[in-house]
Amino acid sequence: PKYIGNSFSADVSYLPTLKISIKKSQYKKIKHVRKESLQRGVLNKDINEYSKAKFVLDGREVKGKLKLKGIFKDHWIEEDERWSYKVKIKADSSLLGLNEFNLMKPERRGELSEWFFEELLKYSGNIYQEIKFVNVEVNGKDLGVYLIEERINSDFLKKNNLLGSIFKIDKKGMQKSDYIGTEYNNIFLTSSLKVIAESDSSSSIEGQKLFERFRLGEIRASECFDLEQYAFITALSDLSGTWHELMPHNTLYFYNKNTKKIELIVNDGSFSTSPYHITTLLGSNCVGGQFRPIDKVVYCDSAFHKHYYKALTNLGTSKYVEKFLKLMENPMDSALNI
């Protein structure tokens, strides 16, 4: 994967340019949040408020707002002002078909790796986020190529015909820690849940209750999750050699009102390594939970192993990769000029 990744290059001159205008007073707010966050080591979510802005793409202007994105400082530490943002476009408007999206340097998503990973999710019939690329100017300053990542909201539910609710583990507690270690995991095991989108309030209540019963050890993983889907996502991560998308702060949980089980919506599978899950499972019999405490419980459920090994077998014997790469030839060669 490293050899292939380092061999990628792309002609980006054809990309559209997104021009963003922010008033000095509003931009000053953003800089203040960044300064305070640098002192903390993690994003200060208590003061990270949206700033008004205007966005122009292909001659069309829309109003909206933006704020810093990224709990860890790699998103906004650079002095070149190529920082990551969360963007909301004014109601009844959109840019590139999106009304909410993340805007960040491609490096934050492994250059083209995240785009590739989302295409793999799409190909396998799983829930995925749209990834697009644009050139960006902020107040006339050329910031170069940026990646646009679709955000998950109520419109996302409707677009994907999902009936239920999507929630995550709240990151607010992470302001106590700027490293991935024991404290990081304890925060995620005890933090409150935050609803991202819902088709109705009852599904949010049902989904959170189910997840809490699992976290308290009252029910097994197979009683909480759609383990076939969970295992397939895990095997797919092994196939692509990624792990980052299954870190707790990158995982969203979709409570499917029809099946009354929780499915994973994974995000940011952009870091390629050796297959993480296989080596840990075989090496220590069961995951120790150093980086993902939830794995310790899920992977020790015998029902998970049954689905997991079935998924690995199917991915390995059905020429899955060859079919996928064949499908990707046109967008890789033409759309991205790789």
Side-chain angles (χ1 to χ4, degrees), residues 183-201:
E183 184 181 351
Y184 165 93
N185 285 317
N186 288 338
I187 288 166
F188 273 111
L189 287 169
T190 58
S191 292
S192 59
L193 302 177
K194 182 177 180 181
V195 176
I196 304 300
E198 60 183 10
S199 55
D200 60 87
S201 58

Side-chain angles (χ1 to χ4, degrees), residues 33 39 56 84-86 91-92 97 99 123 125 135-136 154 163 171 177 193 218 229 231 244 263 284 295 299 307 312:
V33 174
Q39 292 175 354
V56 178
S84 298
Y85 293 103
K86 289 182 180 179
D92 301 323
N99 56 15
Y123 173 71
N135 289 304
V136 170
S154 297
L163 182 64
K171 296 181 185 179
S177 175
L193 302 177
E218 295 177 1
Q229 189 262 358
H244 195 253
E263 301 172 23
S284 59
D295 291 355
Y299 290 0
H307 292 300
L312 286 179

Side-chain angles (χ1 to χ4, degrees), residues 217-326:
E218 295 177 1
I219 58 175
R220 293 168 59 86
S222 52
E223 297 174 271
C224 177
F225 296 101
D226 179 340
L227 275 195
E228 186 173 1
Q229 189 262 358
Y230 200 126
F232 185 84
I233 289 291
T234 306
L236 205 63
S237 297
D238 291 334
L239 176 69
S240 57
T242 61
W243 55 269
H244 195 253
E245 70 278 11
L246 287 177
M247 293 287 283
H249 66 289
N250 290 319
T251 304
L252 300 178
Y253 302 100
F254 167 57
Y255 175 71
N256 189 323
K257 196 166 183 178
N258 292 323
T259 64
K260 300 193 180 302
K261 292 287 181 72
I262 293 173
E263 301 172 23
L264 300 188
I265 300 179
V266 291
N267 169 264
D268 193 5
S270 57
F271 288 81
S272 294
T273 60
S274 58
Y276 179 86
H277 306 90
I278 294 175
T279 52
T280 356
L281 281 167
L282 298 182
S284 59
N285 189 34
C286 184
V287 173
Q290 180 183 1
F291 292 112
R292 297 197 298 270
I294 195 172
D295 291 355
K296 184 174 182 180
V297 186
V298 174
Y299 290 0
C300 285
D301 192 319
S302 59
F304 173 85
H305 287 266
K306 178 182 176 182
H307 292 300
Y308 176 67
Y309 294 130
K310 180 180 178 181
L312 286 179
T313 302
N314 290 339
L315 291 174
T317 58
S318 61
K319 296 189 179 295
Y320 198 89
V321 176
E322 289 89 341
K323 291 179 182 177
F324 173 66
L325 291 177
K326 185 69 177 175

Side-chain angles (χ1 to χ4, degrees), residues 15-221:
L15 291 174
T17 297
L18 175 61
K19 298 181 179 181
I20 305 174
S21 300
I22 313 171
K23 289 184 178 179
K24 284 186 178 180
S25 59
Q26 297 291 300
Y27 202 39
K28 189 176 180 180
K29 266 176 36 179
I30 294 171
K31 289 183 175 180
H32 173 69
V33 174
R34 176 178 176 268
K35 182 179 178 182
E36 292 293 315
S37 299
L38 285 172
Q39 292 175 354
R40 282 192 176 207
V42 291
L43 184 65
N44 188 336
K45 295 173 76 70
D46 293 331
I47 63 172
N48 188 32
E49 299 177 349
Y50 280 99
S51 295
K52 294 180 181 179
K54 291 181 181 179
F55 303 84
V56 178
L57 184 69
D58 293 331
R60 176 172 166 266
E61 180 182 302
V62 296
K63 293 181 179 180
K65 54 187 180 181
L66 78 175
K67 65 179 180 180
L68 289 180
K69 182 219 174 303
I71 193 71
F72 296 122
K73 57 190 176 183
D74 56 337
H75 280 275
W76 29 263
I77 192 172
E78 303 296 339
E79 297 295 334
D80 60 6
E81 299 183 13
R82 293 185 70 206
W83 306 325
S84 298
Y85 293 103
K86 289 182 180 179
V87 176
K88 284 187 177 183
I89 302 302
K90 194 174 180 180
D92 301 323
S93 298
S94 65
L95 282 176
L96 297 173
L98 304 174
N99 56 15
E100 286 190 44
F101 54 86
N102 297 324
L103 194 61
M104 66 193 94
K105 296 183 289 185
E107 299 96 286
R108 300 276 63 79
R109 291 292 187 259
E111 306 291 356
L112 291 173
S113 298
E114 177 63 15
W115 170 81
F116 201 87
F117 182 75
E118 294 294 340
E119 290 293 327
L120 188 56
L121 286 173
K122 180 180 178 181
Y123 173 71
S124 62
N126 282 276
I127 302 170
Y128 69 96
Q129 291 167 279
E130 288 190 48
I131 300 290
K132 303 174 186 289
F133 295 92
V134 292
N135 289 304
V136 170
E137 289 182 12
V138 174
N139 291 341
K141 182 177 181 180
D142 184 3
L143 300 183
V145 178
Y146 261 66
L147 174 148
I148 286 179
E149 176 185 73
E150 177 183 18
R151 284 189 61 77
I152 293 176
N153 54 20
S154 297
D155 289 338
F156 184 87
L157 281 176
K158 294 175 185 175
K159 188 182 84 171
N160 290 281
N161 297 314
L162 301 176
L163 182 64
S165 66
I166 299 174
F167 59 91
K168 67 178 182 178
I169 300 173
D170 200 338
K171 296 181 185 179
K172 271 198 171 182
M174 291 183 68
Q175 295 186 54
K176 302 173 185 175
S177 175
D178 65 346
Y179 65 94
I180 300 175
T182 305
E183 184 181 351
Y184 165 93
N185 285 317
N186 288 338
I187 288 166
F188 273 111
L189 287 169
T190 58
S191 292
S192 59
L193 302 177
K194 182 177 180 181
V195 176
I196 304 300
E198 60 183 10
S199 55
D200 60 87
S201 58
S202 63
S203 64
S204 293
I205 295 171
E206 291 169 11
Q208 290 180 84
K209 280 184 177 179
L210 185 65
F211 190 84
E212 287 294 3
R213 289 188 64 200
F214 167 74
R215 283 207 298 187
L216 291 171
E218 295 177 1
I219 58 175
R220 293 168 59 86

